[in-house]
């Protein structure tokens, strides 16, 4: 009876761990295709900093904050974005205005989702990835997904073990066999997760190890005394931390993620 619980536990463990190993090999191969270029050759500005710190979503949030602070957009706490000045000053700003649509107004979350996959935003990540500063977006997303699957396989093994012990009809002292066999998927998944902390964890972040060094060189934003007059520092704080770093409560409410 308990074998019916063991088989899916082993299958889930083996499948998820193999996927993680293959993903690691793919990431290592991509990382070795081209050596990183010096950061100064790439041009690390606010949007590049935002991508390394938080990916495409952070770039979009930074663009919305910048345009709102300069009076080009109105971000309402009700969840709507309105175009005030349709003349974008950069490719990304023009893409945001186009993303709002011809009516000049749209739900902020719809705009954020659309802009996060816009070619103008993805181009920033592609350029950083070619320079060795960012983890390629597909690799980052798939690695996070596969690690989650290994964790789920570990949890599934524990649940199935509990089910086997509860419904197996064991007499006293007869539980050693299922415990011994269930140790296989448990050790496999937990051991893989431990190794992933060293070998795979760098690929779960948007910035590569070299990119992390670049981020550490960015001047840390002040936690107190941040004013609208110090625009560069304000935008750097948003790039590094997100909209939560903005002192304007109304703007933070406008950019609070809604599901």
């Amino acid at each position: 009876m308990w074998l019916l619980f063991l088989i899916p536990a082993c299958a889930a463990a083996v499948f998820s761990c193999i996927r993680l190993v293959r993903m690691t090999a793919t990431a290592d191969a991509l990382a070795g295709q081209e050596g990183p270029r010096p950061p100064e050759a790439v041009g690390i500005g606010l949007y590049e900093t935002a991508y390394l710190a938080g990916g495409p979503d952070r770039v979009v949030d930074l663009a919305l904050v910048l345009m709102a602070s300069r009076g080009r957009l109105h971000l309402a706490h009700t969840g709507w974005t309105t175009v005030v000045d349709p003349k974008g000053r950069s490719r990304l700003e023009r893409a945001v205005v186009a993303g709002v649509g011809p009516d000049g107004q749209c739900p902020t979350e719809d705009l954020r989702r659309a802009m996060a996959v816009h070619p103008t935003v993805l181009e920033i990540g592609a350029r950083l990835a070619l320079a060795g500063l960012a983890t390629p977006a597909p690799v980052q997303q798939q690695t996070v997904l596969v690690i989650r699957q290994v964790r789920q396989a570990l949890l599934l093994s524990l649940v199935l073990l509990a089910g086997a012990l509860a419904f197996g009809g064991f007499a006293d002292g007869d539980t050693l066999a299922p415990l011994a066999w269930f140790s296989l998927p448990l050790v496999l998944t937990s051991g893989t997760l431990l190794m992933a902390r060293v070998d795979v964890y760098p690929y779960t972040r948007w910035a590569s190890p070299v990119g992390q060094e670049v981020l550490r060189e960015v001047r840390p934003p002040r936690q107190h005394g941040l004013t609208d007059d110090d625009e560069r520092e304000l935008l750097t704080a948003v790039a590094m931390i997100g909209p939560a770093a903005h002192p304007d409560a109304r703007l933070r409410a406008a950019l609070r993620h809604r599901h």
Side-chain angles (χ1 to χ4, degrees), residues 85-111:
D85 181 359
K87 296 181 180 179
R89 272 60 172 184
S90 66
R91 287 183 58 202
L92 184 52
E93 290 191 13
R94 289 190 289 272
V96 170
V97 172
V100 173
D103 295 334
Q105 189 177 55
C106 73
T108 302
E109 273 304 297
D110 291 349
L111 177 63

Side-chain angles (χ1 to χ4, degrees), residues 1-2 4-6 156-170 182:
M1 178 66 179
W2 59 268
L4 297 178
F5 293 89
L6 176 65
L156 177 64
S157 298
L158 291 172
V159 171
L160 290 175
L161 173 58
L165 295 176
F167 301 105
F170 297 105
F182 268 96

Side-chain angles (χ1 to χ4, degrees), residues 8-191:
C10 290
V14 171
F15 176 74
S16 61
C17 291
I18 288 177
R19 285 203 65 190
L20 183 57
V21 171
R22 292 180 62 184
M23 177 54 63
T24 304
T26 301
D28 288 338
L30 288 174
Q33 284 181 357
E34 182 177 346
R37 289 184 289 160
E40 57 271 15
V42 182
I44 304 299
L46 284 171
Y47 288 127
E48 288 76 17
T49 300
Y51 189 95
L52 293 176
D57 291 340
R58 186 69 56 77
V59 173
V60 175
D61 285 344
L62 176 62
L64 295 179
V65 169
L66 186 151
M67 295 178 71
S69 65
R70 296 180 179 177
R72 297 166 195 165
L73 291 179
H74 174 66
L75 303 176
H77 70 279
T78 55
W80 285 81
T81 295
T82 303
V83 175
V84 178
D85 181 359
K87 296 181 180 179
R89 272 60 172 184
S90 66
R91 287 183 58 202
L92 184 52
E93 290 191 13
R94 289 190 289 272
V96 170
V97 172
V100 173
D103 295 334
Q105 189 177 55
C106 73
T108 302
E109 273 304 297
D110 291 349
L111 177 63
R112 292 165 92 178
R113 282 193 294 267
M115 288 304 304
V117 295
H118 194 278
T120 305
V121 176
L122 299 182
E123 182 182 292
I124 297 173
R127 180 161 44 84
L128 291 170
L130 285 175
L133 299 177
T135 303
V139 173
Q140 191 271 347
Q141 295 164 354
Q142 285 297 315
T143 303
V144 171
L145 175 62
V146 172
I147 289 178
R148 186 181 301 122
Q149 290 175 345
V150 176
R151 291 197 185 106
Q152 292 171 345
L154 174 59
L155 179 60
L156 177 64
S157 298
L158 291 172
V159 171
L160 290 175
L161 173 58
L165 295 176
F167 301 105
F170 297 105
D172 293 341
D174 291 341
T175 60
L176 291 179
L179 287 174
W181 280 101
F182 268 96
S183 67
L184 297 178
L186 291 174
V187 169
L188 178 61
T189 51
S190 59

